Amino acid sequence: MERLKRLAVFCGSVMGKDHIYKTEAEKLGIEMAKNSITLVYGGGNRGLMGVVAHAVHDNGGKVIGVLPKAMVRPSVTDGQVEDEVYIEDDMHQRKKRMYSLSDGFVALPGGIGTIEEISEIFTWRQLGYTGGNVALYNINGYWDPFLNMLDKAVEDGFLSEKVRESLIVADDTESLLSRLDIERVSLPDKLK
């Protein structure tokens, strides 16, 4: 079994109101560096994105940033710590590059962009476009409403139970990374 090497992290470009989000984002970055897991992320230096990137970098880990051209400006990039940076034409190309560079995917708390990114890669997983595991880091119960929506989709016949069960949900860094690494199994071809 191949170990998790590169983890795409989707999260807010702001800190959120509760300090726990920053604390847990930092813990994740530290654990990633400690476990030699490269960070692949949206390339910004603001909010939780910046916290994770600095935590990985400051603890000896590798950081890969992927930005769309429109986001290359000092308010986003000042203080970046990437070892590699990719500049893409638009958000679609940005996500495609992030997905191709990663063998696992996790969403921390974030806004509509984070929700869109984790939903898209979860769809790719369902369709077999990626074999990487998809996870939610459920800090402070942030993802509970989203999980309730997925459960409703299963209940009403719009999502298979197998697909729903393939989504890893954890509320601490150790079990999150362990499950992303250990549960590296392929989904059956037909999940619908």
Side-chain angles (χ1 to χ4, degrees), residues 2-22:
E2 194 171 315
R3 305 283 307 189
L4 178 65
K5 294 177 185 168
R6 290 182 172 185
L7 181 62
V9 176
F10 308 116
C11 58
S13 60
V14 297
M15 294 292 185
K17 292 183 177 180
D18 194 319
H19 189 70
I20 193 170
Y21 300 127
K22 179 182 178 188

Side-chain angles (χ1 to χ4, degrees), residues 7-167:
L7 181 62
V9 176
F10 308 116
C11 58
S13 60
V14 297
M15 294 292 185
K17 292 183 177 180
D18 194 319
H19 189 70
I20 193 170
Y21 300 127
K22 179 182 178 188
T23 301
E24 293 301 314
E26 187 171 42
K27 281 183 190 176
L28 177 61
I30 292 167
E31 285 297 313
M32 287 176 66
K34 190 165 85 173
N35 288 284
S36 301
I37 299 170
T38 298
L39 169 65
V40 177
Y41 84 119
N45 194 40
R46 297 170 38 193
L48 297 182
M49 292 172 63
V51 170
V52 175
H54 280 273
V56 171
H57 175 267
D58 295 350
N59 288 278
K62 185 174 179 181
V63 178
I64 299 174
V66 185
L67 288 135
K69 285 180 184 176
M71 299 295 290
V72 179
R73 55 182 185 262
S75 64
V76 175
T77 60
D78 279 354
Q80 283 181 301
V81 293
E82 288 82 3
D83 298 288
E84 294 176 39
V85 177
Y86 295 87
I87 308 298
E88 302 297 338
D89 288 334
D90 56 38
M91 291 295 283
H92 294 292
Q93 292 301 315
R94 174 201 204 186
K95 289 184 294 180
K96 185 177 179 182
R97 172 76 71 172
M98 289 178 70
Y99 300 167
S100 72
L101 290 170
S102 305
D103 55 8
F105 309 89
V106 63
L108 279 68
I112 195 69
T114 303
I115 294 166
E116 184 265 339
E117 289 164 332
I118 201 66
S119 296
E120 181 173 77
I121 197 61
F122 191 37
T123 302
W124 281 35
R125 173 89 163 115
Q126 176 185 355
L127 297 174
Y129 294 158
T130 181
N133 284 328
V134 179
L136 298 175
Y137 189 10
N138 198 20
I139 302 166
N140 208 26
Y142 182 82
W143 290 106
D144 288 350
F146 183 77
L147 294 166
N148 289 338
M149 182 66 235
L150 294 179
D151 291 340
K152 177 68 171 164
V154 171
E155 180 183 322
D156 287 357
F158 292 102
L159 180 67
S160 81
E161 197 167 321
K162 286 184 180 185
V163 170
R164 168 63 181 88
E165 289 172 357
S166 74
L167 181 63

